[in-house]
């Protein structure tokens, strides 16, 4: 059985110019990867240049009641981009809302004890916040519709002190040991409501005071000029157990993947770091994906049902991102050899290419 040590989160991710690689439980005071010594070779570069190559993102994945989806904010330094995409699990109908944000000092804060990320656009108000002292995580959005889409409102709340929650920090080489990718994830139970207004083709819909599961992930990475990454994730209840998993396959992580990577599964408050996992889709993105490792801990298939594709170009930045709803079949094992079996279970896959 593959095992990897799960240590307590360090106070600082960068110590004496070097990243503290590893998988940790808990949260750092700051998700900050600046001040790495010589991140781009032996030639010293001004910090304003090396820091510009650090890109940040925050994603709130929710699976609650009749709805499943993501809220994602990308910080590209010169601009920010936020998108809400979610589906009705009953009808497979997709709802997409997006907004660009102009230059701002920081779209995603470093402070992991207390902070928020938000779009204040009057038609796209979105706010993700966390506060360990006040014991709360929240997502609020108020999205104005148009002729094709209803207006959408949601408010979800969670608590850090609730039993069964996990906080996981991973710091991995990206793509060499001179640079790093830091990813913080928390897996709460959420409660809240979501409502959709009436349109010409649909009636008003309201989901009130419902309980579900979520994953909040915040990442910072020294991006290459070209990067390609894939990920699959899901959260919910299987055989009475609350579980959440994130599995990544990326060109940004090429070194010592057996010793450290960002894959994990959390079951009823117990986190298991997973081995390197290979994600393939031999028949194309819209057909069955195969997700396996070499330790017999992960053996899944993912069958897409709805693909949301966005192609963005802004000045020198270009991105192509697929956010795909689908269902998982197969199993994942924990470090205690407990098997979480998934059958026709909803989740989301991402395939993204970014170029600077």
């Amino acid at each position: 059985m593959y095992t990897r040590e799960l240590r307590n989160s360090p106070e600082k991710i960068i110590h004496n110019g070097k990243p503290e690689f590893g998988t940790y439980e808990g949260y750092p005071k700051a998700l900050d990867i600046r001040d790495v010594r010589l991140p781009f070779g032996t030639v010293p570069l001004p910090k304003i240049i090396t820091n510009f190559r650090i890109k940040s993102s925050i994603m709130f994945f929710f699976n609650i009641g009749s709805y499943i989806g993501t809220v994602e904010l990308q910080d590209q330094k010169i601009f920010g981009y936020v998108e809400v995409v979610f589906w009705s699990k009953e009808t497979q109908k997709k709802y997409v809302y997006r907004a660009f944000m102009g230059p701002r000092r920081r779209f995603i804060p470093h402070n992991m004890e207390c902070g928020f990320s938000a779009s204040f656009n009057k038609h796209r108000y979105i706010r993700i916040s966390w506060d360990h002292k006040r014991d709360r995580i929240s997502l609020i959005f108020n999205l104005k519709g148009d002729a094709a889409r209803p207006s959408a409102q949601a408010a979800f709340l969670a608590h850090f002190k609730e039993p069964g929650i996990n906080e996981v920090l991973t710091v991995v080489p990206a793509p060499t040991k001179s640079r790093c990718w830091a990813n913080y994830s928390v897996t709460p139970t959420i409660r809240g409501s979501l409502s959709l207004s009436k349109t010409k083709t649909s009636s008003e819909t309201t989901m009130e005071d419902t309980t579900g599961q979520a994953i909040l992930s915040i990442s910072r990475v020294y991006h290459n000029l070209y990067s390609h990454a894939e990920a699959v994730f899901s959260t919910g209840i299987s055989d009475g157990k609350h579980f959440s998993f994130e599995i990544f396959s990326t060109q940004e992580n090429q070194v010592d993947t057996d010793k450290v990577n960002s894959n994990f599964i959390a079951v009823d408050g117990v986190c298991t770091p997973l081995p390197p996992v290979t994600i393939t889709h031999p028949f194309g993105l819209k057909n069955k994906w195969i997700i396996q490792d070499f330790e017999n801990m992960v053996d899944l298939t993912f069958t897409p049902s709805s693909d949301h594709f966005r192609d963005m170009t802004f000045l020198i930045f270009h991105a192509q991102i697929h956010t795909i709803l689908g269902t998982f079949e197969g199993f994942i094992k924990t470090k205690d050899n407990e098997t979480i079996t998934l059958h026709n279970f909803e989740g989301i896959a991402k395939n993204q290419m970014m170029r600077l």
Side-chain angles (χ1 to χ4, degrees):
M1 176 68 68
Y2 175 87
T3 58
R4 197 165 82 237
E5 182 182 3
L6 190 64
R7 296 174 284 168
N8 292 326
S9 181
E11 290 206 7
K12 290 185 177 181
I13 293 174
I14 308 302
H15 183 69
N16 293 331
K18 294 183 178 181
E20 296 282 348
F21 297 123
T23 302
Y24 308 94
E25 56 183 352
Y27 68 96
K29 289 184 177 179
L31 194 72
D32 190 356
I33 61 173
R34 295 173 297 180
D35 298 327
V36 171
R37 184 183 297 120
L38 300 176
F40 297 101
T42 58
V43 180
L45 295 173
K47 287 186 178 180
I48 191 171
I49 294 177
T50 58
N51 289 345
F52 186 79
R53 291 281 293 275
I54 298 175
K55 307 303 179 186
S56 307
S57 65
I58 182 168
M59 183 198 69
F60 193 107
F61 166 57
F62 58 89
N63 185 356
I64 182 169
S66 300
Y67 298 97
I68 183 170
T70 63
V71 178
E72 187 169 5
L73 190 151
Q74 295 277 349
D75 178 3
Q76 298 296 331
K77 301 293 187 183
I78 54 178
F79 73 97
Y81 177 82
V82 64
E83 181 173 74
V84 180
V85 53
F86 62 94
W87 289 264
S88 166
K89 292 190 285 186
E90 297 173 352
T91 66
Q92 297 287 293
K93 187 172 182 179
K94 179 174 62 178
Y95 303 91
V96 179
Y97 307 82
R98 61 175 67 89
F100 279 93
M101 294 174 286
R104 190 188 301 175
R105 181 174 179 269
R106 187 166 294 124
F107 294 97
I108 300 172
H110 291 114
N111 191 340
M112 290 293 99
E113 294 184 315
C114 175
F116 73 91
S117 294
S119 164
F120 297 105
N121 185 305
K122 63 180 180 179
H123 299 306
R124 299 286 187 268
Y125 178 75
I126 302 159
R127 179 185 173 99
I128 302 171
S129 62
W130 57 94
D131 191 328
H132 280 83
K133 290 183 179 180
R134 296 178 62 194
D135 184 29
R136 59 186 291 135
I137 306 166
S138 71
L139 166 65
I140 298 172
F141 60 71
N142 190 348
L143 311 168
K144 187 175 180 180
D146 51 32
R149 293 169 293 185
S151 296
Q153 295 179 321
F156 302 141
L157 179 66
H159 300 285
F160 284 105
K161 294 181 181 179
E162 190 159 336
I165 198 170
N166 282 92
E167 294 182 85
V168 184
L169 170 69
T170 55
V171 183
V172 303
T176 69
K177 289 186 176 181
S178 64
R179 282 175 266 161
C180 66
W181 168 31
N183 184 76
Y184 163 80
S185 295
V186 57
T187 61
T189 295
I190 56 173
R191 296 174 180 86
S193 61
L194 189 154
S195 62
L196 301 172
S197 67
K198 182 179 179 180
T199 67
K200 293 182 179 180
T201 59
S202 62
S203 59
E204 182 178 358
T205 303
T206 301
M207 179 191 72
E208 295 182 349
D209 195 23
T210 303
T211 300
Q213 303 298 120
I215 302 174
L216 171 62
S217 290
I218 307 173
S219 294
R220 282 195 165 84
V221 61
Y222 282 91
H223 261 299
N224 286 333
L225 295 178
Y226 173 86
S227 64
H228 177 263
E230 291 183 318
V232 293
F233 42 90
S234 186
T235 183
I237 300 175
S238 175
D239 295 329
K241 298 181 181 294
H242 291 79
F243 76 92
S244 302
F245 68 81
E246 290 186 317
I247 295 173
F248 298 88
S249 177
T250 171
Q251 291 181 348
E252 297 291 315
N253 182 13
Q254 297 284 336
V255 179
D256 289 342
T257 54
D258 285 324
K259 295 181 180 178
V260 58
N261 61 70
S262 292
N263 304 328
F264 74 87
I265 183 171
V267 180
D268 284 344
V270 179
C271 179
T272 297
L274 294 172
V277 176
T278 301
I279 300 175
T280 59
H281 28 81
F283 307 106
L285 291 179
K286 295 184 179 182
N287 293 292
K288 185 176 291 186
W289 294 31
I290 299 171
I291 304 145
Q292 293 178 323
D293 71 331
F294 291 103
E295 305 289 339
N296 198 34
M297 290 184 71
V298 180
D299 190 353
L300 296 171
T301 61
F302 175 78
T303 303
S305 58
S306 179
D307 180 10
H308 170 60
F309 174 67
R310 66 181 185 267
D311 191 332
M312 297 185 298
T313 300
F314 187 85
L315 299 177
I316 62 173
F317 173 78
H318 180 66
Q320 293 181 329
I321 303 174
H322 294 264
T323 302
I324 305 170
L325 174 69
T327 53
F328 289 99
E329 298 277 350
F331 67 84
I332 304 179
K333 291 183 179 180
T334 71
K335 59 187 177 184
D336 299 320
N337 209 29
E338 179 183 12
T339 300
I340 301 300
T341 302
L342 302 180
H343 174 64
N344 200 33
F345 200 95
E346 294 96 348
I348 287 180
K350 294 187 74 71
N351 175 289
Q352 66 180 34
M353 181 280 296
M354 294 187 180
R355 185 179 69 241
L356 292 177

